[in-house]
């Protein structure tokens, strides 16, 4: 293979390109060759700007204003001869900085892992098999399949293009899609924007389909060569992070004012200036939760990783916060509420219904056709119907080996189309044979607006040896034949004739009524219905547009496909309803089918309304907004209707999640509060637009993601509450002591240790909680609710007072017991506050639930955090070589008899506060239920 990745591939014919890259257009590369080329060329991705190293990150930790003041203070201590205290302060500052770097690194790694999972995939052919793999694994010579809505994963020379249009604005700035042709050979010097036989990385297919051979990857692509580096963008702070950052700054300024006041009052009281300075600065550091942003990021990132285990991949951090407030889920039916395991069970043609027996297939598994055959060879109309469905089809069966003496197959393609291929195979019609005898020469791809697709074929004479073949019943075999399949009503409207009684004849109104009645009956049985038609052509049209191809069709029949509901959807809808979340079905299927499925899964309420796309067209936005809360099902809708629906729900005050999988769904995904794309069936455009991607296309995963979003937000509130109540208590303890003329209960070093311990491990452990058991029985959180709401504010007030009370009580008793040993009294105060905070961390695990309901030992990370913190505290108190550093005193059993009862005061206070919150919450839920 040539090493020159800058060859003018557009100026070479297809065989020369394939030969130069040593590949095959239908077989692709071998696995060994692809592996070797990946090793040689590297991954197919653009290089990112280098990340800051450990040393840079560490230095950044010291750029905090308060930390700089503390370093200055330690230097002053050093000059004044207090070497031990100066060294201890510097050691704690460095330890705090290292902890900050570790937290940042963990957050970044977690986000990087998420980003890797969110990376685009490519549909390729290797070793003759169609498969999907991450785009970063593409190599020159790979054969890539291109479909509407997908991004071009690398620079490719087209080897096949069917009505292919590509939007190249990312590369050329031209907003109008470029029509592509594979068969042309262009001049070597032709400008980039005019290379009609080539497609470039990061551009997007807007129409048609194609196939191309990869000619350049990664930094060798045009995007890389012209230095339009798509650098890894830095995640912008989420609204929650902005709020917490503002909160931290507010607390910081308030703490600085109070600390300044503490310093001034101390000087007025003729206390040691250096001691007061160190205390004031240490108090400022303790009061400001510097670790909060890093802990929030880690909590969000780890929460997003938990979501991945529940099949929901969040592409943007702010979506976590929005998920917790979701009040409505607008879900597609097919594949999301149903299993997307389509099986054709009925055929209707020539006034007869034919039952199709046998097993279906698993979309991502293997199946056999044993026991599923049915005979249509003597039924010309049925054979024609199956042939139309088989030829007008992009899915195919692939032999995957043998199992128990049976041949097993794998379906590749769209599940609905796959069902038609399987039905035809059961009757003995195989796609490879049909396409060999009637090759496709042109097509009009499926479009969600038209709700149909058409293909044009050139029938071979040998293929029509069957005397019942309808194409020549009224004459000789036509040169070309159009096959069309799609929504029955729309296909029927395009038909002027019908195949009946083994001949083509004009379609009557009675025929149309009979077809509509069968369509209605099938839909009422929760079947998805497709119509099929054909049209003989004397010549291939020069312009293969829907207007020229899809007209004067001959109606053949209907396919009735069953797609059973997912068993997990019904309980998920019940769970969502209990959580105050409305579920709405939005589908392009018929009203009867939609209603039947909605009733099976419990989505359609007794008084719930059903609207169709035609109803929406007749209604104004205001009229829809008035009844939006009453509508449970929207049937026969287009992607444009989705925007109207989501706007109506938002106008009613809903935080709406909207699912989508096609290119035309992008506007609705963007306008919704939470755009949800399908990971299996979704296009790259829909995934790029969405906030969240479902890796299993399952409605239940949306509800699980909402639950996880609530858990994450609740956990963030828990450690915010825990940190702030402790920090405010520390300020109150020092401030009251100075105002009361008491000695300081806590030294500067003790404040720093307290800050390190309470702001560190226990707070992070709170961020890893699994969530309250009743979290999905609470109403959604209002979007405008502040992080510190009224309930939390009262909790902070009561807990700060409790912490202050027990610390000053312990300190006062210590002063009386040890009038000549201030260190003993300080150690009692220090032990009381720190151990009570560690004990209170257990109570802070839930905002409302009792500690005993949650279970004391159910969060193993809390056990690790509390145990490690307790060991550090006991070491400070009892290890002889640390006692001079922290001025600590080894407490005896007498001191612990005072301290131990006091430790339970804050956690008991918290449990009392939660009792009243639970009671208030029950009243709110009862009032909502009554409303």
């Amino acid at each position: 293979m040539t090493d020159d990745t800058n060859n003018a591939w557009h100026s070479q014919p297809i065989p020369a390109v394939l030969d130069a890259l040593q590949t095959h257009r239908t077989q692709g590369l071998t696995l060994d060759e692809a592996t070797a080329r990946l090793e040689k060329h590297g991954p197919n991705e653009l290089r990112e700007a280098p990340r800051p190293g450990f040393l840079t990150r560490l230095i950044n930790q010291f750029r905090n204003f308060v930390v700089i003041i503390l370093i200055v203070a330690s230097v002053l201590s050093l000059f004044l001869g207090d070497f031990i205290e100066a060294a201890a302060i510097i050691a704690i500052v460095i330890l705090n900085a290292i902890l900050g770097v570790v937290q940042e690194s963990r957050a970044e790694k977690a986000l990087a892992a998420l980003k890797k999972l969110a990376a685009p995939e490519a549909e390729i052919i290797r070793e003759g098999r169609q498969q999907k793999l991450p785009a970063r694994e593409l190599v020159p010579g790979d054969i890539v399949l291109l479909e509407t809505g997908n991004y071009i994963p690398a620079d490719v020379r087209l080897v096949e293009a069917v009505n292919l249009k590509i939007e190249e604005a990312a590369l050329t700035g031209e907003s109008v899609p470029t029509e592509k042709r594979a068969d042309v050979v262009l001049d070597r010097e032709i400008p980039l924007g005019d290379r009609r036989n080539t497609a470039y990385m990061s551009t997007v297919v807007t129409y048609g389909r194609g196939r191309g051979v990869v000619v350049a990857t990664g930094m060798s692509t045009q995007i890389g060569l012209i230095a339009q580096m798509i650098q890894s963008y830095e995640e912008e702070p989420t609204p929650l992070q902005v709020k917490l950052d503002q909160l931290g700054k507010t607390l910081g300024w308030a703490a600085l004012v109070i600390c300044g006041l503490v310093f001034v009052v101390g000087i007025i009281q003729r206390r040691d200036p250096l001691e007061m300075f160190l205390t004031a600065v240490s108090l400022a550091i303790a009061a400001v939760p510097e670790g909060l942003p890093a802990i929030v990021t880690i909590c969000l990132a780890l929460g997003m990783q938990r979501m991945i285990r529940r099949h929901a991949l969040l592409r943007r951090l702010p979506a976590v916060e929005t998920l917790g407030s979701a009040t409505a889920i607008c879900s597609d039916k097919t594949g999301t509420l149903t299993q997307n395991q389509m099986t054709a069970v009925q055929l209707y043609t020539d006034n007869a219904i034919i039952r199709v027996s046998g097993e279906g297939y698993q979309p991502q598994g293997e199946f056999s056709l044993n026991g599923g055959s049915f005979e249509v060879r003597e039924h010309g109309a049925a054979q024609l119907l199956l042939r139309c469905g088989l030829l007008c089809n992009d899915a195919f069966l692939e032999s995957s080996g043998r199992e128990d003496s049976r041949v097993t197959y794998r379906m590749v393609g769209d599940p609905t189309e796959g069902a038609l291929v399987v039905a035809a195979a059961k009757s003995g019609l195989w796609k490879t044979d049909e396409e060999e005898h009637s090759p496709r020469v042109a097509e009009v791809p499926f479009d969600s607006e038209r709700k149909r697709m058409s293909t044009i074929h050139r029938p071979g004479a040998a293929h029509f040896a069957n005397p019942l073949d309808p194409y020549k019943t009224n004459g000789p075999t036509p040169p070309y034949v159009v096959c069309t399949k799609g929504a029955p009503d729309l296909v029927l409207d395009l038909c002027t004739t019908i195949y009946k009684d083994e001949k083509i004849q004009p379609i009557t109104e009675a025929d149309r009524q009979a077809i509509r009645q069968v369509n209605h009956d099938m839909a009422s049985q929760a079947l998805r219905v497709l119509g099929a038609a054909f049209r003989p052509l004397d010549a291939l049209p020069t312009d293969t547009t829907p207007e020229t191809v899809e007209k004067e069709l001959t109606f053949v029949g209907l396919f009735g496909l069953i797609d059973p509901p997912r068993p997990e959807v019904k309980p998920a809808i019940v769970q969502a309803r209990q959580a105050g979340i409305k579920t709405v079905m939005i589908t392009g299927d018929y009203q009867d089918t939609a209603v039947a499925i909605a009733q099976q899964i419990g989505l359609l309420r007794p008084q719930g309304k059903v609207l169709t796309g035609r109803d929406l067209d007749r209604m104004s936005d205001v009229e829809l907004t008035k009844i939006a809360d009453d509508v449970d099902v929207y049937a026969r809708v287009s992607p444009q209707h989705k925007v109207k629906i989501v706007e109506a729900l938002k106008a009613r005050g809903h935080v709406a999640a909207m699912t989508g999988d096609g290119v035309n769904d992008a506007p609705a995904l963007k306008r919704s509060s939470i755009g949800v794309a399908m990971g299996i069936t979704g296009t790259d455009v829909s995934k790029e637009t969405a906030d969240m991607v479902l890796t299993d296309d399952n409605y239940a995963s949306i509800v699980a993601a909402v639950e996880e979003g609530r858990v994450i937000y609740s956990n963030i509130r828990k450690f915010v509450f825990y940190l702030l109540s402790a920090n405010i208590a520390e300020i109150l303890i020092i401030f009251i002591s100075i105002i009361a003329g008491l000695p300081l209960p806590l030294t500067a070093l003790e404040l720093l240790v307290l800050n390190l311990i309470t702001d560190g491990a226990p707070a992070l452990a709170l961020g890893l909680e699994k969530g309250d058991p009743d979290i999905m029985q609470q109403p959604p959180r209002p979007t405008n609710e502040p992080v510190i709401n009224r309930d939390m504010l009262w909790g902070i007030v009561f807990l700060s007072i409790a912490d202050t009370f027990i610390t000053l009580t312990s300190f006062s008793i210590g002063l009386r017991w040890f009038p000549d040993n201030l260190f003993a009294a300080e150690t009692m105060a220090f032990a009381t506050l720190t151990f009570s905070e560690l004990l209170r961390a257990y109570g802070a695990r839930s905002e409302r639930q009792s500690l005993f309901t949650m279970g004391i030992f159910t969060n193993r990370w809390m056990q690790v955090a509390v145990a490690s913190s307790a060991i550090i505290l006991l070491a400070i108190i009892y290890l002889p070589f640390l006692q001079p550093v922290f001025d600590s005193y080894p407490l005896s059993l007498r001191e612990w008899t005072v301290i131990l009862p006091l430790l339970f005061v804050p956690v008991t206070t918290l449990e009392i506060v939660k009792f009243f919150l639970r009671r208030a919450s029950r009243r709110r839920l009862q009032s909502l239920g009554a409303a």
Side-chain angles (χ1 to χ4, degrees), residues 268-590:
I268 293 172
Q269 293 179 347
R270 298 177 184 245
R271 297 176 187 253
D272 179 24
L274 180 60
E275 180 190 5
M276 290 309 304
F277 179 69
L278 284 173
T279 301
V281 174
S282 302
L283 190 59
I285 287 180
V288 180
E290 298 96 345
L292 196 57
I295 293 176
V296 169
T297 304
I298 291 171
C299 186
L300 287 170
L302 294 180
M304 289 167 72
Q305 288 181 334
R306 288 199 302 272
M307 285 188 182
I308 290 169
R309 290 195 288 271
R310 302 183 75 172
H311 309 292
L313 170 62
L314 260 71
R315 299 185 64 257
R316 299 180 180 90
L317 282 177
V320 177
E321 303 158 39
T322 315
L323 269 172
S325 302
T327 60
I329 299 173
C330 303
S331 174
D332 288 323
K333 176 182 73 68
T334 303
T336 308
L337 296 172
T338 60
Q339 296 179 30
N340 208 20
Q341 294 180 11
M342 290 286 187
T343 305
V345 292
Q346 291 183 21
L347 307 179
Y348 170 77
T349 183
D350 199 3
N351 289 324
I353 291 180
I354 302 172
R355 309 283 176 183
V356 183
S357 62
E359 61 185 274
Y361 69 91
Q362 301 294 323
Q364 296 176 319
E366 298 178 347
F367 62 96
S368 73
L369 298 174
N370 287 31
S373 61
F374 65 105
E375 190 60 55
V376 296
R377 295 185 187 281
E378 301 306 316
H379 198 303
Q383 196 171 17
L384 172 60
L385 177 61
L386 288 167
R387 181 170 288 145
C388 281
L390 191 60
L391 291 175
C392 185
N393 200 313
D394 290 327
F396 60 90
L397 297 182
E398 202 174 61
S399 175
S400 56
R402 300 186 69 87
E403 183 179 316
D404 298 331
S405 75
R406 299 189 307 175
V407 179
T408 57
Y409 298 92
R410 182 174 72 97
M411 196 286 294
V412 180
D414 177 77
T416 302
E417 292 195 318
L420 305 187
V421 176
V422 171
K426 288 177 181 178
S427 74
L429 295 174
W430 292 89
K431 190 172 187 193
T432 50
D433 296 337
E434 296 298 316
E435 289 189 333
E436 182 180 344
H437 295 303
S438 295
R440 185 186 301 187
V441 294
E443 67 183 79
V444 183
F446 176 81
D447 183 279
S448 57
E449 287 293 314
R450 294 171 23 253
K451 293 186 172 67
R452 60 184 177 272
M453 74 174 285
S454 297
T455 54
I456 303 177
H457 301 264
R458 186 172 58 246
H463 185 50
F464 296 101
N466 189 333
L468 291 177
D469 190 89
Y471 294 149
K472 64 175 186 178
T473 301
N474 295 359
T477 300
Y480 298 96
V481 173
V482 175
C483 293
T484 299
K485 77 171 191 307
D489 54 339
L490 300 179
V491 171
L492 186 60
D493 288 343
L494 298 170
C495 294
T496 56
T497 55
I498 185 172
Y499 185 80
K500 189 168 65 170
D501 299 330
E502 297 185 3
K503 63 183 177 181
I504 298 173
Q505 49 188 293
I507 191 168
T508 65
E509 186 57 34
D511 292 329
R512 294 183 187 275
Q513 289 299 331
I515 293 166
R516 292 188 184 110
Q517 184 60 48
V518 173
N519 181 27
H520 171 77
D521 293 343
M522 285 185 175
S524 299
Q525 300 170 48
L527 299 184
R528 187 175 192 185
V529 189
L530 291 178
F534 76 95
R535 174 191 171 201
L537 292 176
D538 293 329
L540 186 66
T542 55
D543 181 18
T544 54
T545 61
E547 292 74 23
T548 58
V549 174
E550 297 171 343
K551 64 179 182 180
E552 300 175 358
L553 300 178
T554 298
F555 186 83
V556 183
L558 302 173
F559 294 95
L561 313 173
I562 191 167
D563 182 16
R566 292 179 181 267
E568 64 271 24
V569 162
K570 191 169 185 176
I573 288 174
V574 172
Q575 186 184 26
R577 200 165 279 157
Q578 290 173 342
I581 301 170
K582 171 184 175 63
T583 303
V584 179
M585 176 193 288
I586 299 178
T587 179
D589 265 353
Y590 287 94

Side-chain angles (χ1 to χ4, degrees), residues 11 36 169 207 299 595 621-622 678 849 920:
S11 66
Y207 193 72
C299 186
V595 168
D621 293 345
V622 174
M678 302 296 108
Q849 294 296 315

Side-chain angles (χ1 to χ4, degrees), residues 753-776:
V753 169
L754 191 64
N755 183 54
L756 191 67
I757 291 172
T758 58
D759 282 20
L764 189 55
L766 286 173
L768 299 174
E769 281 292 331
K770 294 179 181 177
D772 292 5
D774 67 342
I775 199 160
M776 288 298 280

Side-chain angles (χ1 to χ4, degrees), residues 626-647:
K626 286 180 181 177
I627 64 168
D629 280 337
D630 303 323
V631 182
D632 290 340
V633 176
Y634 295 90
R636 302 302 286 161
V637 299
S638 67
Q640 283 69 29
H641 290 134
K642 284 187 169 184
V643 177
K644 189 171 184 176
I645 293 166
V646 80
E647 293 286 7

